[in-house]
Amino acid sequence: MSHPVSYRVVGNVGVVTIDNPPVNAFSLAVRKGLNDTISDAIADDSGIILIACAGRTFVAGADISEFGKPPEDPWLPEVLDNIENSPKPVVTAVHGTALGGGFELVLASHYRCALASAKVGLPEVHLGLLPGAGGTQRTPRLAGVEAALELMTSGRPIPAGKAQAAGLIDEVFDDDLEGNALRWCEQLLADGKGPVKVSEKAVPQVDAAVFDGARQLLAKRARGQLAPFRIVDCVEAATRLPYPQGAEFEREQFAECMASPQSAAMRHLFFAERQAAKVRDLPKDTSLRNIRSVAVIGAGTMGGGIAMSCANVGIPVKLLEVDAAALERGFGVIEGNYAKTVKKGRLSQEEAAARRGRIEGTTDYADLADADLVIEAVFEDPELKKTIFRKLDEVCKPGAILATNTSYQDVDAIAGVTNRPGDCLGLHFFSPANVMKLLEVVRGAKTDDDVLATAIRFAKTIRKVPAVARVCYGFIGNRMFNPYIREAQKLLIEGALPETVDAALYEFGMAMGPIAVSDLAGLDVGYKARMALPEEVRGDDTPFKVADALVEAGRLGQKSGAGFYTYDPETRRASPDPEVVTLIEKTSAELGVERRDIGAEEMVERCVFALVNEGLKILDEGIAQRPGDIDIVYLYGYGFAVHRGGPMFYADQVGLDHVLARVREFHERFGSDAPA
Ligand code: 3HC
Ligand code: NAI
């Protein structure tokens, strides 16, 4: 392999180029190469040093694949300190993204420039870490405490222009980064500018309340996570301590975060997300079909959101409904959603109008003839879906991809009614489809390779995270969710209450407890889905006795103002309902169950291990390719706590022997599912 750091002199400028594809991560070789090259550049006749990168981006940070292994010298903080201590001025020139350690390199240099299209950021928090190469100490010195806290605790990169306004970048160029940077270097020299060390700047002082406020905000936004709070501690330290001690404090916090199970979980998810988009038996050179236009059938909850997801990235959409009234209803919701985003200031009126304008309503299948991809999102009725696929087979052009958004139905049976099952697959979005990032791509038995590959690329185009599943009832996500919800329902009958089950799982880290989720989804949805199943597949209904009684009493969940909880019509705030407690207790009595106190730990184990157990079955049957794919489904589709790493990673962390022993015990004591 050629050396990842090269050096040449242009005029008075010593140009250091980092070239370590794909994203110029700071591997050991890059750290060594940069350290040695900077020493050489300091020693030669050049007057100023310029650090830039080859390829698609500036340095994207430390090499995450080296994390968890024994650290090797030179450490990044030392390399960056050597750069800052250079007696010659050092300039960095950013294109693409300067992230994490990459941006810390920028902060350690004396002068900073970037292309206008570049972004900079400190996203370590997404890996359960904090900037560990001076970032927590240098950022507040340049941008102030509040901006530094926001940059590091959100982990969101910002455009070069915004970084310049915040004081983090000095010069922004529209094009020709190298040419402009070289000219700027010569100018700095001519102006007699020397090294300006950020570490020697004072940190602007703020009221202590700023840190308390940040911690309070994070208690909600980053519930249960360690790293964001450590970031606040480090920035607070920067206001109290001279740079060397602040940097020392940062290093200790970084080491603790790095050793934490949380960071291991989040690093696992980083790689799992990228793996999930890869299909093991799909040749790398599989050709792709063009998706220039999309048709969506059904403008209900899902269809509207799917249409928005496409329109939001510039894809024109035909939205087909049964009649004009249904279309009007659907467009009403879509327009309402755009209006809300405009009101929140997240979208301009013009952009909202442009997006809305890309969605065209129709009631005529002939209008779908040219669509490259059709996504069916009508009621969850297999016969209706088959009727629609027959129709699509008649009207759609050859090569069009036909997808169903079914939650549970047999994708192969739906594809089987067409003369082109190879063009068919499932595209299972999550509600609200314009917001939720997960897209389960359901590969039918006959789905062609190029259809699958195109669907995965389409997912990325519309900014979703794809995870591939094979066909089974409920695919990966919903199939696992069923035993999870069933276990939660059983806990109610055995002695728990909705709010205690929800509190236990919320504390564990789920975005919402299972009972509150059932209310949100609508209790009638699960009820109807179960009732539609043949009795031998449906299994024992006893655990759902309370939920079913609520449905039969018209308490369908949030949408009817009451389900397991009662909802305030204005605020939608949930309150426990004594009537439900009475119903639960009556059900226990009818079933002859003596109610008992159930601890939070048992509640969590019963529900989460039910997920894990079904996940293992799914892996065994080849429905999911890898445990990491399942974790991605649960992270992006079901609000599983990011710092737990997903159900399968969590199971590994607590130990599969422990999980197996508990699942066996629950099976024997409570009739939970048998171990996988
Ligand atoms: N280390 C190692 N590998 C990395 C990496 C990193 N920092 N960043 C990306 N990669 C790998 C990916 O795993 C992927 O590998 P694959 O092709 O084998 O799947 C490949 O590079 C391309 O990555 P993406 O598919 O994500 O490419 P995109 O173009 O979509 O995105 C990116 C590029 C915006 C740079 C994105 O990869 C990214 O956000 N990377 C992570 C950045 C980050 O978190 N940096 C902080 C690291 S921690 C740190 O710096 C600690 C310091 O403070 C001490
Ligand atoms: P919905 O009831 O909100 O919308 C269905 C829409 O389809 C209605 O607007 C209806 O008028 C329309 N429709 C019915 N028959 C039609 C026909 N013959 N031609 C054209 N349009 C027709 O249902 P929802 O919730 O959007 O679900 C749609 C599909 O998405 C279902 O298969 C469901 O299982 C699946 N799904 C639902 C999720 C959810 O959370 N709601 C999540 C993921 C998938």
Side-chain angles (χ1 to χ4, degrees):
M1 189 191 146
S2 63
H3 207 285
V5 183
S6 61
Y7 184 65
R8 71 193 202 282
V9 178
V10 182
N12 293 306
V13 188
V15 182
V16 178
T17 306
I18 300 172
D19 187 5
N20 182 32
V23 295
N24 287 318
F26 267 136
S27 62
L28 175 62
V30 174
R31 297 198 304 276
K32 269 191 182 148
L34 187 60
N35 221 20
D36 295 347
T37 313
I38 291 291
S39 301
D40 294 346
I42 290 170
D44 72 11
D45 290 341
S46 62
I48 185 165
I49 301 169
L50 172 66
I51 303 176
C53 287
R56 68 197 225 214
T57 179
F58 195 78
V59 177
D63 186 334
I64 305 167
S65 63
E66 288 181 359
F67 288 176
K69 298 177 188 161
E72 282 189 76
D73 284 342
W75 273 29
L76 188 57
E78 284 165 20
V79 177
L80 301 192
D81 284 348
N82 289 344
I83 288 172
E84 195 183 51
N85 290 330
S86 157
K88 288 182 188 174
V90 179
V91 178
T92 37
V94 177
H95 75 289
T97 41
L99 299 176
F103 187 50
E104 290 173 299
L105 163 62
V106 174
L107 296 171
S109 67
H110 307 130
Y111 298 96
R112 295 159 280 279
C113 67
L115 268 185
S117 56
K119 285 188 173 178
V120 303
L122 294 164
E124 286 89 342
V125 72
H126 296 310
L127 299 168
L129 296 171
L130 47 90
T136 66
Q137 305 301 297
R138 290 193 177 100
T139 312
R141 285 176 157 81
L142 278 180
V145 165
E146 275 144 313
L149 285 174
E150 173 55 26
L151 192 70
M152 290 186 275
T153 59
S154 77
R156 252 192 314 274
I158 54 172
K162 196 169 172 193
Q164 186 182 29
L168 294 164
I169 295 283
D170 304 310
E171 289 286 335
V172 174
F173 302 119
D174 286 333
D175 51 22
D176 186 18
L177 182 64
E178 187 175 282
N180 278 310
L182 282 169
R183 278 187 288 279
W184 189 43
C185 285
E186 295 284 1
Q187 189 61 51
L188 288 168
L189 264 187
D191 294 346
K193 301 280 188 193
V196 180
K197 295 186 185 182
V198 175
S199 66
E200 289 180 354
K201 288 182 187 283
V203 180
Q205 292 302 302
V206 291
D207 197 290
V210 168
F211 297 107
D212 294 341
R215 290 188 182 100
Q216 272 166 22
L217 194 73
L218 289 169
K220 285 194 203 128
R221 204 167 78 181
R223 186 165 50 93
Q225 290 184 38
L226 175 73
F229 295 93
R230 297 301 176 93
I231 289 171
V232 180
D233 295 345
C234 286
V235 177
E236 197 172 33
T239 63
R240 284 189 285 108
L241 302 172
Y243 183 84
Q245 283 86 334
E248 185 61 38
F249 182 76
E250 175 195 86
R251 230 155 287 171
E252 286 163 15
Q253 306 305 308
F254 181 80
E256 266 188 48
C257 287
M258 179 67 94
S260 70
Q262 292 198 357
S263 178
M266 291 162 90
R267 274 147 37 206
H268 155 73
L269 287 170
F270 175 84
F271 288 115
E273 180 174 334
R274 281 150 185 86
Q275 280 289 308
K278 293 171 188 156
V279 183
R280 282 201 185 119
D281 60 337
L282 205 60
K284 266 210 160 117
D285 56 355
T286 304
S287 61
L288 294 168
R289 299 187 191 179
N290 278 323
I291 306 292
R292 279 173 296 232
S293 65
V294 169
V296 177
I297 306 188
T301 309
M302 297 307 290
I306 296 168
M308 288 175 75
S309 297
C310 299
N312 291 351
V313 297
I315 302 176
V317 181
K318 292 262 167 56
L319 184 56
L320 185 138
E321 257 293 351
V322 278
D323 54 31
L327 270 180
E328 199 181 316
R329 224 177 20 248
F331 275 112
V333 176
I334 291 172
E335 284 159 11
N337 281 336
Y338 280 131
K340 267 188 230 154
T341 319
V342 171
K343 203 170 163 200
K344 284 184 194 153
R346 294 204 196 129
L347 196 66
S348 70
Q349 188 68 54
E350 298 71 48
E351 179 57 22
R355 291 179 183 191
R356 162 64 187 87
R358 286 184 200 117
I359 310 173
E360 195 185 319
T362 181
T363 54
D364 185 354
Y365 273 85
D367 288 337
L368 274 42
D370 281 334
D372 295 317
L373 164 67
V374 183
I375 305 169
E376 166 278 309
V378 302
F379 305 133
E380 186 70 353
D381 169 351
E383 288 317 308
L384 176 60
K385 288 180 190 290
K386 285 179 189 162
T387 308
I388 286 172
F389 268 67
R390 277 190 205 100
K391 187 81 191 160
L392 293 175
D393 196 18
E394 276 169 30
V395 301
C396 291
K397 68 181 178 187
I401 296 177
L402 310 183
T404 171
N405 180 48
T406 180
S407 303
Y408 291 98
Q409 304 306 323
D410 182 342
V411 171
D412 290 332
I414 295 170
V417 303
T418 71
N419 293 303
R420 40 173 129 179
D423 291 339
C424 301
L425 83 172
L427 285 180
H428 183 217
F429 290 77
F430 287 71
S431 180
N434 53 314
V435 176
M436 295 293 283
K437 284 187 78 177
L438 180 65
L439 182 57
E440 248 182 318
V441 177
V442 186
R443 180 185 194 178
K446 294 192 176 156
T447 304
D448 286 337
D449 282 357
D450 64 337
V451 170
L452 181 62
T454 305
I456 290 169
R457 192 200 44 188
F458 169 72
K460 292 182 187 169
T461 306
I462 60 168
R463 304 200 191 110
K464 303 288 178 201
V465 178
V468 178
R470 288 280 191 179
V471 177
C472 68
Y473 185 74
F475 319 120
I476 298 174
N478 282 343
R479 172 166 161 186
M480 285 169 65
F481 208 56
N482 283 346
Y484 169 79
I485 292 291
R486 195 183 327 121
E487 227 42 45
Q489 297 289 327
K490 280 163 60 179
L491 288 166
L492 297 180
I493 294 173
E494 289 166 28
L497 292 176
E499 57 274 25
T500 55
V501 177
D502 280 344
L505 272 301
Y506 181 80
E507 270 309 304
F508 170 77
M510 302 300 288
M512 279 174 102
I515 308 292
V517 164
S518 304
D519 262 4
L520 178 68
L523 300 180
D524 55 323
V525 175
Y527 180 87
K528 280 191 204 143
R530 268 182 296 112
M531 295 308 158
L533 286 174
E535 226 160 278
E536 65 279 12
V537 184
R538 199 192 309 164
D540 180 14
D541 268 348
T542 317
F544 294 98
K545 264 196 169 318
V546 177
D548 290 355
L550 290 172
V551 172
E552 283 152 17
R555 297 182 65 126
L556 308 183
Q558 275 201 25
K559 62 184 164 192
S560 69
F564 279 100
Y565 298 97
T566 305
Y567 295 89
D568 183 299
E570 297 279 301
T571 60
R572 289 214 198 151
R573 214 190 156 91
S575 312
D577 187 333
E579 260 184 51
V580 176
V581 178
T582 309
L583 172 66
I584 292 171
E585 287 172 352
K586 189 171 132 253
T587 309
S588 307
E590 278 169 10
L591 293 170
V593 176
E594 195 174 323
R595 293 179 65 77
R596 65 188 170 96
D597 278 340
I598 308 176
E601 189 185 337
E602 181 186 328
M603 295 193 211
V604 169
E605 290 201 332
R606 291 275 295 277
C607 295
V608 175
F609 292 173
L611 272 183
V612 173
N613 194 37
E614 198 64 30
L616 290 169
K617 291 180 190 173
I618 280 174
L619 281 172
D620 226 30
E621 293 168 25
I623 301 296
Q625 298 186 89
R626 332 168 171 87
D629 293 16
I630 295 179
D631 290 334
I632 289 303
V633 167
Y634 266 79
L635 173 69
Y636 288 117
Y638 296 83
F640 202 94
V642 62
H643 60 276
R644 302 278 191 192
M648 309 315 280
F649 186 83
Y650 175 69
D652 273 336
Q653 276 194 327
V654 296
L656 283 178
D657 288 349
H658 173 72
V659 176
L660 178 61
R662 295 295 274 166
V663 171
R664 275 202 180 119
E665 184 192 333
F666 297 150
H667 177 60
E668 276 158 28
R669 280 176 64 195
F670 310 116
S672 305
D673 282 347

